[in-house]
Amino acid sequence: MIEEMMFVCFSSDQDETIALASRGREDCIRMMSLKQRVFLVVFMLIGSFSLLINHYHYQYQFHPAISSNYDMIIRTEIDNRSIRQRESVLENKLNSSIIQSQRIRRLEKECHSHKPQVPRGNFQSKFHLFLLDPQTGLAYCHVPKVASSFWYSIFSTIVPGVPKNLTLPTLHSTMLDLSRRAEELPENAFKMIFVRHPLKRLVSAYVEKFVKTQEKNFIQPLKEFIRNQNAETLEINFPIFIKFVIHEMQRYRLSYGTHHWIPYTSLCQICQTRLDFIGHLETLNEDAELLIELFPKLKKFIPTKRNNISDQTLHNTALHNDPNQTQNYFSQLDNKTRQDLLLIYKLDCSIFGYDCNEFW
């Protein structure tokens, strides 16, 4: 800093002062009188001493023992940050509430517009059941392949009288036994459903039940269908599975696994029963946050970004690992099969805002 200071030598003559100012620092000092040099040194010492005093005064002010003003500033900044975070949370909640309202209105509008096409209890009663928590009035429509194990595990914890540490098959059967039809619910029941893209749900059912676990109760009806098609082999693949699904839906035939691919419009009588909440698997975290606001007791069980609870059910893992999986499977279908399939799930896509043509 001192190296960059400008030294100006004053003289009784103005012109000489200007000339001296244009010289270097060394020339200026050499031309000073002894009195002027002493004055300069004293001036510089006073200035240095003042800087030193200010430095210690600054440190003293902010010493931890007496730094209340500084702490107050920091706390104010933290409070402001917390306010901004709360505002962000409130904004997200407002957006989630708006989205919920839009989903409900869309459901009602599409159900009314397509009323002649909406099935009315054509399948078994187990497809129209809600699982109720009597303490909160929260009622969940069971939709397989849309994190149903996740929701069943939560309800098994909050619903009184459910045995603990149930195996997954026992958990599902126990929860179904405790479920009831919509007309049997209390008037103030809060009815919710969670959905996902209908075609992704279809792929998820195929991958889990026919590729990974190869459950006998699922495979046996499909092999029987293949035999009736006079196929050369009983080999199971995705195109033959889709033809099997189309066969069941067009003829209202049921097999052990039908519940896992039946259209949403045939579940819980969604167009005849007023739903209060529609969650999407694609926005599970945001929807769960809103549910926690409505039902605080869920906070202990639902994993979200805010409550740091991990999801132990590992639902939807396969499709998360391979985002192109759905498209790869549907690329195996011929045009007629695709069109027949679209006729079955078109209303589902329309009601819940999905694009059924997304994967071809």
Side-chain angles (χ1 to χ4, degrees), residues 41-253:
V41 172
V42 171
F43 180 82
M44 294 179 65
L45 287 174
I46 293 174
S48 299
F49 185 76
S50 298
L51 289 174
L52 191 61
I53 292 296
N54 287 336
H55 170 73
Y56 282 105
H57 179 64
Y58 179 86
Q59 281 197 334
Y60 173 78
Q61 275 189 319
F62 289 90
H63 190 277
I66 53 173
S67 59
S68 59
N69 290 339
Y70 179 71
D71 289 343
M72 184 177 66
I73 293 172
I74 294 298
R75 285 197 301 271
T76 301
E77 175 60 28
I78 293 174
D79 289 343
N80 289 339
R81 195 178 308 153
S82 299
I83 290 172
R84 289 194 294 270
Q85 289 174 345
R86 287 196 295 271
E87 288 176 346
S88 176
V89 170
L90 289 173
E91 183 179 356
N92 290 337
K93 291 176 183 175
L94 177 61
N95 291 339
S96 296
S97 299
I98 293 173
I99 290 172
Q100 276 302 314
S101 177
Q102 292 172 341
R103 289 174 180 174
I104 295 295
R105 286 201 303 268
R106 184 186 186 101
L107 170 79
E108 293 173 348
K109 177 184 175 182
E110 294 296 327
C111 284
H112 179 74
S113 300
H114 300 89
K115 192 172 183 179
Q117 306 171 38
V118 177
R120 298 182 61 88
N122 293 323
F123 293 95
Q124 292 178 354
S125 60
K126 74 173 185 178
F127 297 158
H128 306 290
L129 298 179
F130 286 86
L131 180 58
L132 175 70
D133 174 23
Q135 294 182 344
T136 62
L138 179 61
Y140 163 66
C141 171
H142 177 215
V143 183
K145 306 314 302 167
V146 189
S148 57
S149 298
F150 168 75
W151 289 110
Y152 270 2
S153 64
I154 291 174
F155 272 80
S156 69
T157 306
I158 64 177
V159 174
V162 178
K164 306 302 179 186
N165 302 320
L166 297 174
T167 63
L168 195 58
T170 306
L171 172 67
H172 278 254
S173 61
T174 301
M175 294 294 101
L176 281 174
D177 289 342
L178 293 173
S179 300
R180 59 188 77 180
R181 293 180 65 90
E183 57 268 24
E184 299 172 337
L185 294 173
E187 290 186 7
N188 62 344
F190 185 92
K191 296 179 287 294
M192 76 167 185
I193 188 173
F194 267 79
V195 297
R196 69 192 295 185
H197 195 297
L199 301 185
K200 282 190 175 183
R201 175 173 173 249
L202 196 57
V203 170
S204 179
Y206 173 74
V207 170
E208 181 185 349
K209 303 301 182 182
F210 296 91
V211 177
K212 288 188 174 181
T213 61
Q214 298 184 359
E215 296 183 31
K216 182 178 179 180
N217 290 333
F218 284 81
I219 289 179
Q220 201 60 41
L222 178 54
K223 285 190 174 181
E224 186 65 28
F225 169 76
I226 296 173
R227 290 191 188 96
N228 293 335
Q229 302 298 308
N230 297 319
E232 297 180 357
T233 174
L234 294 179
E235 179 184 357
I236 293 176
N237 53 44
F238 187 69
I240 197 68
F241 165 70
I242 294 300
K243 290 180 180 180
F244 172 65
V245 170
I246 294 172
H247 172 79
E248 282 199 337
M249 297 301 106
Q250 288 179 342
R251 293 165 177 77
Y252 297 110
R253 300 285 179 85

Side-chain angles (χ1 to χ4, degrees), residues 231-284:
E232 297 180 357
T233 174
L234 294 179
E235 179 184 357
I236 293 176
N237 53 44
F238 187 69
I240 197 68
F241 165 70
I242 294 300
K243 290 180 180 180
F244 172 65
V245 170
I246 294 172
H247 172 79
E248 282 199 337
M249 297 301 106
Q250 288 179 342
R251 293 165 177 77
Y252 297 110
R253 300 285 179 85
L254 297 177
S255 66
Y256 182 85
T258 303
H259 201 178
H260 291 70
W261 48 80
I262 191 172
Y264 299 131
T265 49
S266 295
L267 293 174
C268 298
Q269 295 180 308
I270 61 171
C271 283
Q272 292 84 34
T273 303
R274 174 171 173 77
L275 294 174
D276 300 289
F277 190 94
I278 299 174
H280 284 202
L281 188 63
E282 295 84 355
T283 56
L284 177 61

